[in-house]
Amino acid sequence: MHVTGHQRLRRLATTALTATVLVCASTGPVAAVATRHDDGLSHQVEAIHDTGVVGVSAEVLSSRVRLSESAGAARWGSPRPMPEQGRFRIGSATKTFTATVVLQLVAEGRMSLSDTVGQWLPGVVHGNGYDGNRITVRDLLRHTSGIPDVPRLASMSSADGYRAERLRTYRPQELVDMALRQRPAPVSDPADPYATWSYSNTNYVLAAMLVGRVTGRSWEREVTDRIIRPLGLHDTGVPGAFPLVLGPHAHAYTAFGAGHGGDPGTDVTLLDPSMASGSGSVISTTHDVNRFYAALFDGRLLDAARLGEMTATVPAAELGDGVAYGLGLAQIPLTCGGSYFGHRGELLGYRTWAGITRDGTRSVSVYVTSDGGPDTEQAMMTLMDEQMCAD
């Protein structure tokens, strides 16, 4: 029987409360750290809000202190403030979760970073100039596979496309096939193994498929059982094709590139995120993301050897001056010297930056809920830089 979008919405409305109860029932303990106001973080958050975003929220977490600030509204035109620890789509920051699961499987001896895609997913990457037998697992996680990104989907391209396609479910193989219809980009120096560096969500769709093939269970299940539940990330989830953001959350908006003005554009909070399987579909909070990074760098998720693999980087100039990329982690230079590890994320209205100091003692995350203006991205990066450099 064909189910229309309106019928699906009605069914979702009747099951949302049950789903919320199930999410809450599976939570674990959360480490208590006193939260306090900080003038510096407050000014940085207000500076981001002043660039034109509807809402912004940020948190800084260390063993000694937890700072949290927000500005703006939870919904455009509403007096309701940004929710405390609101949930949002973290976008490509999901890639660090996926890479962590893959590296855990490597540590267990169930696969190797030097295994090829063709070895685990025979016939999935082939034709049109692509050969999965020449692409390793490390290539996928490091974005040196040469596989192009998934073409821009209708739901991401216009308000009309979003309304028509927002509840469409994509299969991972479908996304891969769409990407492989594009010809490989020319390589400037075939002898240089890093000359093919190019950011591609398809790499992480494939990584999620690999996790499923190696474990016999879904990527969503592995992320939940290996990361979310053990760490007690009670506001984090992998929604699959479920299009609602459950629990406290701010609405997301985008103008689909139509320019910046007083109107933030279309409310795009409702979205089937299956197009971002493995690459960008996790829902979380600033606090849970910070706790994830802390656990990643203190040895609770990966041993020293695997964390060393993750943080061994290659140049990634496409991401910015001085930026390098490891396995699901970017290395970003700081104005005070040195660098931090983290990831940018974006999924239709929600945009985030998150990361941790090299010594693992201080994690920072910030997100906004609309496109904002031409200075929004720089303001977010400034907050990250100044907080990472803070004593």
Side-chain angles (χ1 to χ4, degrees):
M1 179 180 68
H2 176 68
V3 178
T4 68
H6 290 298
Q7 288 173 320
R8 187 178 178 194
L9 283 174
R10 285 196 295 270
R11 291 182 182 181
L12 288 169
T14 61
T15 60
L17 178 60
T18 300
T20 303
V21 171
L22 290 174
V23 168
C24 293
S26 66
T27 63
V30 178
V33 180
T35 305
R36 66 173 175 82
H37 170 78
D38 180 76
D39 286 340
L41 182 61
S42 178
H43 291 321
Q44 292 155 359
V45 165
E46 288 291 349
I48 296 171
H49 185 238
D50 288 345
T51 67
V53 298
V54 175
V56 55
S57 186
E59 185 194 84
V60 178
L61 183 66
S62 72
S63 60
R64 296 178 293 106
V65 69
R66 176 182 171 190
L67 313 176
S68 182
E69 300 288 344
S70 62
R75 192 166 191 167
W76 184 58
S78 166
R80 185 162 59 92
M82 288 287 286
E84 183 177 351
Q85 286 309 306
R87 297 170 184 170
F88 64 98
R89 302 187 193 279
I90 72 172
S92 285
T94 297
K95 291 179 174 65
T96 314
F97 285 73
T98 300
T100 298
V101 170
V102 171
L103 286 164
Q104 288 179 342
L105 293 172
V106 170
E108 294 164 10
R110 301 175 70 176
M111 64 186 300
S112 167
L113 291 173
S114 60
D115 289 348
T116 67
V117 175
Q119 179 178 338
W120 287 104
L121 301 172
V124 170
V125 177
H126 72 288
N128 203 23
Y130 302 101
D131 183 359
N133 294 312
R134 298 170 62 89
I135 298 170
T136 67
V137 175
R138 181 181 279 105
D139 287 329
L140 293 181
L141 300 184
R142 194 174 54 190
H143 294 299
T144 52
S145 69
I147 296 173
D149 203 353
V150 177
R152 195 160 184 82
L153 305 173
S155 59
M156 305 289 194
S157 302
S158 69
D160 288 343
Y162 165 75
R163 283 187 284 268
E165 299 282 327
R166 61 188 177 178
L167 296 180
R168 177 175 173 178
T169 299
Y170 290 89
R171 294 176 295 103
Q173 182 67 65
E174 182 180 5
L175 298 167
V176 172
D177 290 344
M178 292 168 64
L180 297 182
R181 291 189 192 110
Q182 306 166 86
R183 293 289 299 174
V187 178
S188 57
D189 181 4
D192 181 358
Y194 307 137
T196 57
W197 199 96
S198 183
Y199 191 88
S200 173
N201 290 300
T202 315
N203 288 322
Y204 279 76
V205 174
L206 284 163
M209 293 172 69
L210 279 168
V211 168
R213 181 60 59 88
V214 172
T215 65
R217 306 197 314 165
S218 71
W219 165 78
E220 291 88 351
R221 181 76 177 271
E222 291 297 322
V223 169
T224 299
D225 288 352
R226 289 172 173 272
I227 298 175
I228 296 172
R229 284 197 178 122
L231 296 182
L233 303 181
H234 66 291
D235 289 320
T236 299
V238 191
F242 189 72
L244 302 180
V245 180
L246 298 178
H249 66 278
H251 285 238
Y253 302 86
T254 183
F256 294 100
H260 175 61
D263 187 333
T266 303
D267 186 327
V268 291
T269 313
L270 181 71
L271 181 70
D272 179 331
S274 57
M275 84 289 284
S277 173
S279 66
S281 64
V282 167
I283 291 173
S284 192
T285 65
T286 54
H287 187 52
D288 275 6
V289 169
N290 280 338
R291 292 180 58 226
F292 163 67
Y293 273 107
L296 181 60
F297 273 67
D298 72 11
R300 278 177 285 167
L301 294 175
L302 296 177
D303 60 27
R306 251 48 65 176
L307 184 61
E309 290 270 17
M310 178 177 260
T311 55
T313 60
V314 299
E318 181 183 315
L319 301 182
D321 292 341
V323 177
Y325 201 89
L327 306 183
L329 272 182
Q331 183 177 358
I332 300 122
L334 291 167
T335 57
C336 58
S339 60
Y340 72 94
F341 288 99
H343 218 290
R344 182 186 185 277
E346 184 173 3
L347 186 59
L348 207 57
Y350 293 113
R351 192 183 341 168
T352 187
W353 273 92
I356 191 165
T357 53
R358 292 180 64 93
D359 63 3
T361 60
R362 187 179 182 89
S363 52
V364 182
S365 57
V366 57
Y367 78 99
V368 299
T369 61
S370 65
D371 301 338
D375 300 323
T376 300
E377 186 78 4
Q378 184 57 56
M380 295 177 73
M381 293 173 65
T382 296
L383 180 150
M384 294 295 296
D385 182 81
E386 292 179 353
Q387 286 298 329
M388 291 294 180
C389 287
D391 293 332

